[in-house]
Amino acid sequence: MVGCATRLVPVTSPGPSAVSGERAVAEAARRRTFAVISHPDAGKSTLTEALALHARVIQEAGAIHGKAGRKSTVSDWMDIEKARGISISSAALQFGYGPPGREAVVNLVDTPGHADFSEDTYRVLAAVDSAVMLVDAAKGLEPQTMKLFDVCRHRGIPVLTVINKWDRPGLEALQLMDEIRDRTGLEPTPLTWPVGIAGDFRGVLERSTGDFIRFTRTAGGATVAPEERVSPDRALAEEGEPWATAVEESELLEAMGQVHDQDAFLQGRTTPVLFGSAVLNFGVRQLLDTLLALAPPPGPREDGAGAPRRIDAPFSAFVFKIQAGMDSAHRDRLAYVRVCSGVFERGTVVTHAATGKPFATKYAQQVFGRERSTVDLAYPGDVVGLVNATALRVGDSLYVEEPVAFPPIPSFAPEHFAVARGKDSGRYKQFRRGIEQLEQEGVVQVLRSDLRGDQAPVLAAVGPMQFEVAEHRMNGEFGAAITLDRLPYSLARRTTREWVKHLDPQSGVEVLERGDGALLALFADAWRLSRVQRDLPDVVLEPLVAASS
Ligand code: G4P
């Protein structure tokens, strides 16, 4: 099926223009908005593709998954992504799942796949109601998995865990459960248990029924893998030892209290676990069914003052991502918003909470990679791309009738710093515009000081790949090629104006102002920081882990 990348299934049909709050409530109830989080290479792209395959969005696996040398991915968009075979951009894939008439709507919000490029992922997590943590069966929990998991805990996002690559030799299932419990503090509550050790994946024991779900390989995992439900007696007769072991281990889990409890899951105390193989499409149906059964639908969202915005209130949404220059055919600027309440109707003029100005929504799209389709109606939980949204910034709220301002999306502590200078001083205007644009989109944080001047701002990033994106965009999109000189800092702390005069004279310390007015003191390392804290015992130096922007 070469050339047939994806077919986005329109799951929203046009309705009457005055759609009530009741409609918003009903539509929200059948929606599940989630992200797959994982360390690179755990199989996120493969799983995304497998999920879409199960929902029949694509006919054959291999279309989304886009590592270098394969068919191009729908979530890749930039030249450097193509060259590296990684995914930097984020958008949402929407598809229907379930029997006709009772079809649920799944919004899979795509997250970047590279360990370096993590700030974007954190923002995406502001837009989801749950997360699927994908763990490589041979590697267990990896650094990026842990970081992302921390963000989920911080935000109160319930996490489902999928142990992937069970078709390959890996750790023991019980050992993996111990690791999850010990390192995340979450009690794992397996819903399925593997039959056959890692590398000899026969199927899973469905713990709620005790049945064996047998998986059958298809050629290259390219189509939905057939499953057969087998009674425990027959499973014992046909599978023998591996089945007996699975039953024994499942009983052990039960004795240890590792049984699903919906409240504990929603409160972030437990994580339901499934076993699968994304590449063989094993366990993927179970994941979709579990998301529908257990993952929370969109609920009321708290505004900046902590008051909940009801689902049936008039339309409201917030921007969680801004993206420009997605590909040469569409050189525009897209603001991705997550709908929080009411019904989004394309063409409605909404209010931009930050400025109080009207914002026209004539051009609203669903975007996943290069695929775009117009969105006429959207409901709580949905992600909509607003075209030419030059006035919008990450974290901004939009509303109709009843004003609301959702809390700002946290920006994370930068760890990499570089001075940007235009290569051609005659193109200063383009340089300034480009830097401003990248700052607004949150591609990098921009720090300035009188000492360095406007011609040489400091770019700050969570991961160094953000610099590459900035360089690429400045050159290609704004016509202002830059040089980046890395600075020897690795730590930033927030300080206050009265401390600047005390900090500046310290060696190895520099204070700069971020676009949002925050004063950041930069340090070479933790040792330098502790020296300064020792010399200035009262100094204000707040960590930036989740500083609001
Ligand atoms: P990512 O998006 O999380 O970075 O991971 P991705 O899906 O690209 O998968 C990383 C590698 O792991 C790929 O192999 C992929 O085929 C493989 N993989 C994903 N899921 C499974 C699974 O369930 N079982 C096995 N055995 N492998 C899996 P690769 O070597 O990069 O490419 P290729 O082998 O597909 O050519």
Side-chain angles (χ1 to χ4, degrees):
M1 191 93 358
V2 180
C4 166
T6 59
R7 188 170 53 86
L8 285 172
V9 178
V11 287
T12 47
S13 52
S17 63
V19 192
S20 67
E22 265 171 46
R23 179 90 186 265
V25 170
E27 290 291 338
R30 69 186 188 111
R31 274 166 167 70
R32 296 294 181 273
T33 301
F34 73 101
V36 179
I37 57 176
S38 73
H39 193 85
D41 272 349
K44 189 158 63 66
S45 321
T46 313
L47 179 70
T48 301
E49 180 179 300
L51 286 167
L53 177 74
H54 270 257
R56 317 264 182 223
V57 175
I58 52 174
Q59 262 95 58
E60 190 186 316
I64 291 183
H65 194 162
K67 292 283 158 137
R70 301 208 204 122
K71 295 172 197 170
S72 74
T73 161
V74 298
S75 59
D76 282 358
W77 57 274
M78 235 166 62
D79 299 348
I80 59 168
E81 287 185 286
K82 271 193 260 166
R84 284 165 173 262
I86 54 161
S87 162
I88 295 173
S89 56
S90 302
L93 178 65
Q94 186 180 65
F95 54 85
Y97 179 72
R102 286 187 297 123
E103 198 179 51
V105 178
V106 177
N107 290 311
L108 170 50
V109 184
D110 191 25
T111 56
H114 198 282
D116 269 357
F117 198 72
S118 43
E119 198 164 16
D120 209 21
T121 309
Y122 296 138
R123 291 192 202 114
V124 164
L125 291 174
V128 302
D129 301 311
S130 60
V132 171
M133 175 161 73
L134 198 59
V135 175
D136 184 323
K139 298 194 178 135
L141 297 172
E142 297 178 85
Q144 182 80 340
T145 336
M146 292 303 295
K147 270 198 199 173
L148 291 163
F149 171 74
D150 275 346
V151 179
C152 289
R153 176 168 42 208
H154 194 72
R155 291 188 168 280
I157 299 169
V159 178
L160 279 163
T161 299
V162 172
I163 308 289
N164 190 33
K165 307 195 187 182
W166 201 256
D167 60 296
R168 239 174 31 186
L171 302 169
E172 281 181 22
L174 287 172
Q175 191 184 343
L176 283 160
M177 296 307 102
D178 286 348
E179 193 182 349
I180 292 172
R181 183 187 323 99
D182 296 347
R183 295 190 53 206
T184 70
L186 282 180
E187 186 69 52
T189 56
L191 304 173
T192 61
W193 197 250
V195 177
I197 57 167
D200 177 28
F201 198 10
R202 297 159 185 227
V204 291
L205 186 164
E206 185 179 73
R207 293 188 70 215
S208 59
T209 58
D211 286 347
F212 174 44
I213 311 296
R214 175 181 283 140
F215 297 140
T216 308
R217 277 181 190 246
T218 58
T223 53
V224 175
E227 288 178 7
E228 187 191 358
R229 182 175 287 275
V230 176
S231 71
D233 289 346
R234 220 182 96 207
L236 182 62
E238 290 171 7
E239 301 295 333
E241 186 64 32
W243 173 257
T245 305
V247 171
E248 210 172 279
E249 290 180 344
S250 176
E251 283 167 3
L252 189 67
L253 296 172
E254 188 129 6
M256 292 191 301
Q258 293 184 5
V259 181
H260 176 70
D261 174 330
Q262 184 67 5
D263 287 341
F265 161 57
L266 294 179
Q267 288 161 11
R269 289 188 281 122
T270 63
T271 179
V273 180
L274 297 165
F275 286 78
S277 164
V279 85
L280 296 178
N281 289 304
F282 287 180
V284 176
R285 180 189 65 78
Q286 280 84 2
L287 175 59
L288 279 169
D289 288 347
T290 303
L291 280 163
L292 262 48
L294 307 183
R301 196 172 190 95
E302 285 187 1
D303 67 13
R309 174 84 166 187
R310 294 183 334 271
I311 289 285
D312 62 355
F315 166 78
S316 66
F318 69 91
V319 180
F320 68 94
K321 182 176 173 53
I322 294 208
Q323 198 166 66
M326 284 182 61
D327 73 40
S328 42
H330 305 274
R331 281 242 174 267
D332 52 17
R333 184 172 139 100
L334 271 162
Y336 294 102
V337 302
R338 157 159 171 147
V339 180
C340 299
S341 66
V343 179
F344 170 84
E345 290 178 75
R346 188 168 66 83
T348 307
V349 177
V350 303
T351 304
H352 178 210
T355 59
K357 289 190 179 153
F359 181 87
T361 61
K362 189 169 168 205
Y363 301 104
Q365 297 183 330
Q366 236 179 32
V367 184
F368 195 75
R370 291 171 195 280
E371 286 287 317
R372 293 181 172 210
S373 55
T374 297
V375 170
D376 291 316
L377 285 172
Y379 302 95
D382 289 348
V383 169
V384 178
L386 297 172
V387 182
N388 285 330
T390 43
L392 302 184
R393 289 172 176 245
V394 168
D396 281 1
S397 302
L398 299 174
Y399 64 82
V400 167
E401 292 165 30
E402 288 175 25
V404 65
F406 294 105
I409 297 182
S411 65
F412 288 81
E415 291 173 15
H416 303 271
F417 306 87
V419 182
R421 290 189 185 83
K423 280 188 181 160
D424 178 354
S425 56
R427 301 188 69 76
Y428 179 60
K429 244 170 58 189
Q430 288 86 340
F431 172 81
R432 218 179 55 185
R433 214 181 47 228
I435 295 285
E436 261 175 36
Q437 172 82 29
L438 298 182
E439 182 177 18
Q440 275 184 26
E441 286 180 33
V443 171
V444 283
Q445 297 178 30
V446 181
L447 314 179
R448 298 180 175 86
S449 69
D450 290 344
L451 194 69
R452 294 195 178 270
D454 269 356
Q455 314 246 355
V458 172
L459 309 188
V462 173
M465 194 180 292
Q466 288 172 253
F467 290 149
E468 282 183 53
V469 175
E471 235 178 330
H472 180 88
R473 299 260 317 264
M474 286 297 286
N475 188 17
E477 200 179 319
F478 302 104
I482 55 169
T483 56
L484 284 176
D485 294 316
R486 294 295 288 268
L487 293 172
Y489 304 120
S490 69
L491 273 179
R493 291 287 185 273
R494 195 173 185 141
T495 189
T496 52
R497 203 155 293 279
E498 65 268 26
W499 284 102
V500 177
K501 59 178 181 295
H502 301 288
L503 287 165
D504 264 342
Q506 305 275 331
S507 74
V509 182
E510 181 173 352
V511 183
L512 294 122
E513 185 163 348
R514 198 167 60 184
D516 62 352
L519 288 167
L520 303 192
L522 311 187
F523 300 86
D525 49 36
W527 182 81
R528 175 62 53 194
L529 170 65
S530 65
R531 284 293 292 259
V532 170
Q533 283 171 320
R534 195 191 62 191
D535 295 347
L536 303 169
D538 297 326
V539 70
V540 176
L541 290 172
E542 291 164 8
L544 281 162
V545 184
S548 56
S549 54

